[in-house]
Each structure stands twice: as structure tokens, then as C-alpha cells.
């Protein structure tokens, strides 16, 4: 892994602190409050969601491919609370139909292949299982912001761990065979303008 990923992982919590406090932490708390059963989180990063998993979560699997992120995640995870695995979302070492809830927060912007990652999430879910998501997305309703996203994306993704600014993640989730039960669009306050457009919610795997 590169020096760049080491630096990014080391600075990550500080870089996002202001927007976490402004809104993202509250979104996490609200969406994860009802998570139950066996839960799989992809790209778990430094463990920002850990505090929000309640007692209804009987088994927690945290997948994270970056070793520097994984080190922080392991340090934050209480003993026996969950298992950390080294895996990208596109290749999950998890059996078909074995997970009740999958969680993706600020990850589908960065995966190499969103369709494949979403296909994996669909594969590992039990029939009718749910995807909980928070993602920043392309600015569909603001052409000027969208142009800035397009201009900045090549450099942005090189510096910030393959983070894309122009993904239409709502359409990708629907295409992967999920039906939205809850979908909210909001501005990520105190974040850079190019990552402010977000979607969040819960989608159920269609039968
Ligand atoms: C912006 S961080 C978000 C971290 C965490 N999910 C959160 O909500 O704070 C993006 C995370 O996605 C991870 N990631 C990058 N490519 C990935 C992939 N192909 N599969 C799974 N995770 C990936 C990164 O290592 C990083 O931890």
C-alpha cells in the first residue's frame, strides 16, 4: 500500500470531523438504529459506524481492504464485538444469503466497480435483506456544481483513495435489484461543495 493511503488513513477522521458533527453522525445513528441480526459493513474505514450498532446486531462483519484503515478499525473495535476481514466489496468472503443487513457509508464512491460491489451485496443478503447506505453523489440538480465535480474528479480520485464525484449511486442501487424503502437527498453540511449532494436510506433486495 502506498504512502498516500497511509497519509489518507491517518488524516481521515480529522478531515471529516466537521461534517460528521454537522450531520453525518446523526444520519448514521438514525439509519443504523434498527439494524438486526448478522450485519456486514463494507469499507468500514476507521469505524465511524461502530458506536451506532445496537444490541439487535448479533454478528458484525467489517470488511476493509486498506491496511491502514483496518489498523484503526481494529484498534477501535471492542473485543468480541465483531470480526474485521481484509476484502474489497467486489469480492466478499461471505456465503450466499447469509447476511441480514449490509451497510455502505461513503464507500460506493470509492470502489473500483460499483455494479460488481452491489452484486456482491445482493448475493450475500438473505432474501428480503436490506442495504443501509449513505453516499455522496453527482449533483443532478445543479449544473454548475456538476461541472466542478467533473473538472475536479480526475485529481480528486487520485489523491483521495479513488473517491469519484460524479457517480449516480441511486440508479446503480436500483439496477442491482434493490427497491428503496427509504430514500432521502440532503446536503452534507460543512463538507466541500463537490461532495455535498448525498443520498441516504434503506433499500430491500427484491425477490
Ligand atoms: C470515505 S472512506 C469511508 C469509511 C467509512 N465507511 C465511513 O463511513 O466513514 C471510504 C472507504 O472505502 C474503502 N474502500 C475503497 N475501495 C474499496 C473497495 N473496493 N471495497 C471496499 N471498500 C473500499 C476505503 O479503504 C475506505 O475505508
Amino acid at each position: 500500500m502506498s504512502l498516500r493511503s497511509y497519509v489518507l488513513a491517518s488524516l481521515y477522521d480529522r478531515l471529516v470531523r466537521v461534517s460528521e458533527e454537522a450531520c453525518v453522525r446523526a444520519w448514521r445513528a438514525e439509519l443504523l438504529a434498527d439494524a438486526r441480526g448478522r450485519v456486514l459493513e463494507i469499507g468500514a474505514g476507521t469505524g465511524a459506524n461502530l458506536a451506532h450498532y445496537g444490541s439487535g446486531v448479533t454478528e458484525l462483519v467489517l470488511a476493509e481492504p486498506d491496511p491502514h484503515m483496518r489498523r484503526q478499525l481494529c484498534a477501535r473495535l471492542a473485543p468480541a464485538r465483531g470480526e474485521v476481514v481484509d476484502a474489497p466489496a467486489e469480492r466478499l468472503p461471505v456465503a450466499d444469503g447469509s447476511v441480514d443487513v449490509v451497510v455502505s457509508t461513503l464507500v460506493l464512491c470509492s470502489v473500483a466497480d460499483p455494479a460488481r460491489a452491489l452484486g456482491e451485496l445482493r448475493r450475500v443478503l438473505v432474501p428480503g435483506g436490506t442495504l443501509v447506505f449513505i453516499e455522496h453523489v453527482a449533483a443532478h440538480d445543479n449544473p454548475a456544481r456538476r461541472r466542478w465535480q467533473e473538472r475536479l474528479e480526475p485529481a480528486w480520485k487520485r489523491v483521495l483513495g479513488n473517491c469519484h464525484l460524479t457517480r449516480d449511486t441511486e440508479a446503480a442501487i436500483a439496477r442491482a435489484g434493490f427497491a428503496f424503502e427509504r430514500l432521502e437527498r440532503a446536503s452534507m453540511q460543512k463538507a466541500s461543495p463537490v461532495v455535498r449532494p448525498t443520498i441516504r436510506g434503506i433499500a430491500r433486495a427484491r425477490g
Side-chain angles (χ1 to χ4, degrees):
M1 275 287 153
S2 66
L3 174 65
R4 197 174 284 165
S5 79
Y6 170 79
V7 173
L8 183 59
S10 306
L11 296 178
Y12 185 75
D13 285 346
R14 266 171 282 176
L15 291 174
V16 299
R17 187 175 56 81
V18 182
S19 53
E20 285 286 332
E21 286 171 0
C23 57
V24 181
R25 191 175 298 158
W27 294 347
R28 296 179 193 277
E30 196 200 352
L31 285 169
L32 293 171
D34 293 331
R36 297 276 179 278
R38 186 174 196 226
V39 174
L40 166 71
E41 181 175 342
I42 58 164
T46 61
N49 288 328
L50 290 177
H52 306 294
Y53 292 119
S55 56
V57 175
T58 53
E59 193 182 340
L60 182 60
V61 180
L62 303 159
E64 171 53 59
D66 182 286
H68 309 298
M69 288 289 195
R70 226 171 30 245
R71 192 164 20 81
Q72 297 188 56
L73 182 61
C74 290
R76 197 181 271 184
L77 184 65
R81 181 64 181 113
E83 174 195 7
V84 175
V85 296
D86 171 8
E90 294 91 338
R91 274 191 321 280
L92 294 167
V94 176
D96 295 4
S98 65
V99 170
D100 299 294
V101 180
V102 289
V103 176
S104 174
T105 58
L106 308 170
V107 177
L108 292 170
C109 54
S110 299
V111 301
D113 185 340
R116 190 158 166 207
L118 283 159
E120 275 291 86
L121 299 187
R122 195 76 174 70
R123 177 185 70 74
V124 302
L125 275 176
V126 297
T130 52
L131 163 64
V132 173
F133 60 92
I134 302 171
E135 299 290 345
H136 68 80
V137 293
H140 290 301
D141 55 357
N142 184 332
R145 192 188 303 250
R146 170 68 196 222
R147 278 193 295 279
W148 274 109
Q149 290 179 323
E150 287 167 2
R151 271 182 217 129
L152 289 176
E153 186 170 76
W156 187 276
K157 69 185 183 196
R158 262 200 308 280
V159 175
L160 294 170
N162 202 41
C163 174
H164 290 68
L165 297 171
T166 60
R167 285 191 169 163
D168 184 353
T169 302
E170 180 180 333
I173 292 172
R175 265 197 310 273
F178 290 93
F180 292 103
E181 289 205 335
R182 180 173 163 188
L183 176 61
E184 286 168 66
R185 299 180 184 87
S187 177
M188 195 193 301
Q189 294 154 40
K190 312 269 186 185
S192 160
V194 287
V195 295
R196 276 186 206 157
T198 67
I199 57 168
R200 68 181 191 276
I202 298 176
R204 195 170 291 280
R206 283 199 294 261

